[in-house]
Amino acid sequence: MKRRLFLTSAAAALVTATAARAERLLVNSPGDGFLNLRTGPGSQYNIIRKMYHGSAVETLEYANGWVRVRHESGAVGWAFAKYLVRPAATNVRYVYSPNDGYLNLRTGPGTRYQIIRPMYNGEAVTLLERSGGWVRVKHQSGAVGWAFEKYLHR
């Protein structure tokens, strides 16, 4: 009896899970700034890592409101689909500085320029111009300055 029950459960799982056309989506969780990547399609599964607001994922499979994804870090797991969105065709980027959690907004394109303010992970900026690896941005607070582009993600 247990064997039949297992096969029925496995068959049901195959019916509800569908392969996804690979699509690039962004984590949209501005409230707490992250979305959990889990080992399975449900909140009862273990957390693999936090995926920060604005970070990118590639879809692999859908199952009952959950999406199996490959995060930009390379980690693969399941995320709640409600918090994943298609990127807008705009110049909006999100701060993502994994080591210290913030990025300095500066008066010019380089580290020798004065710091205007810190910009924290998940905060939005609009790109205005580029100079080398630096971009002039307008922060969501309204402050305008320069930031190193490597730490700004779609």
Side-chain angles (χ1 to χ4, degrees):
M1 183 65 179
K2 285 185 180 180
R3 185 168 185 223
R4 268 192 220 146
L5 194 62
F6 173 75
L7 292 175
T8 304
S9 296
L14 288 174
V15 170
T16 58
T18 58
R21 185 184 98 249
E23 181 178 19
R24 185 176 182 273
L25 299 176
L26 300 177
V27 172
N28 183 34
S29 187
D32 57 10
F34 67 91
L35 173 63
N36 289 323
L37 183 66
R38 297 182 175 273
T39 57
S43 60
Q44 73 274 20
Y45 289 94
N46 291 332
I47 296 170
I48 297 170
R49 69 172 299 133
K50 290 180 179 180
M51 300 184 296
Y52 290 97
H53 179 71
S55 62
V57 299
E58 177 187 350
T59 61
L60 303 172
E61 177 181 6
Y62 289 90
N64 300 321
W66 289 80
V67 185
R68 192 166 71 90
V69 299
R70 178 176 294 109
H71 185 253
E72 63 187 27
S73 67
V76 174
W78 292 85
F80 195 48
K82 175 182 174 180
Y83 297 103
L84 298 173
V85 297
R86 287 184 177 84
T90 67
N91 285 335
V92 174
R93 301 291 188 277
Y94 298 93
V95 174
Y96 179 64
S97 182
N99 292 331
D100 50 19
Y102 71 93
L103 174 63
N104 287 323
L105 182 65
R106 297 181 174 272
T107 58
T111 56
R112 69 182 185 277
Y113 290 92
Q114 185 179 17
I115 296 170
I116 298 170
R117 65 165 294 148
M119 301 182 296
Y120 296 96
N121 284 347
E123 292 182 343
V125 299
T126 302
L127 304 183
L128 303 173
E129 74 178 280
R130 286 187 164 82
S131 178
W134 291 81
V135 287
R136 192 166 71 89
V137 298
K138 181 176 183 180
H139 183 257
Q140 66 186 32
S141 68
V144 175
W146 292 85
F148 197 58
E149 189 170 20
K150 174 182 175 181
Y151 299 107
L152 298 173
H153 294 260
R154 289 184 187 260

